[in-house]
Amino acid sequence: MSERFGDHARRLAGAASRLLGWPPHWFWRATPSEFAAIFETPDEQAPGMDRAQLNSLLEQERNG
C-alpha cells in the first residue's frame, strides 16, 4: 500500500466533519469501532432495551 495512515486519517476526519458535523476533536477521540458503528446497518434481530434497563443505565450515570 502506498498511502500512509495519516493520509487515510485525514480523509476520514474530513468525512466526519462534512457528513456528521463532527469537530476534529470528536473524530480523534472516537475509536475506530465507534466510528465504523455509525455507518453499520442496525441488526434487526438485536433485542431492544426496555424501560427498566434504561432506568438502570441512567441511575448508574448519575452516580458514576
Side-chain angles (χ1 to χ4, degrees), residues 3-63:
E3 293 186 88
R4 296 182 332 218
F5 168 80
D7 297 327
H8 294 288
R10 183 177 36 82
R11 238 182 269 119
L12 286 173
S17 177
R18 286 188 308 278
L19 299 173
L20 306 173
W22 283 16
H25 68 277
W26 287 9
F27 173 79
W28 291 110
R29 289 181 184 162
T31 66
S33 294
E34 291 168 334
F35 189 69
I38 293 168
F39 299 102
E40 290 179 358
T41 303
D43 183 2
E44 297 298 326
Q45 302 300 323
M49 182 183 301
D50 63 21
R51 186 63 192 185
Q53 291 170 314
L54 176 59
N55 287 340
S56 175
L57 288 173
L58 289 171
E59 188 63 31
Q60 290 173 24
E61 181 61 28
R62 283 189 208 121
N63 295 330

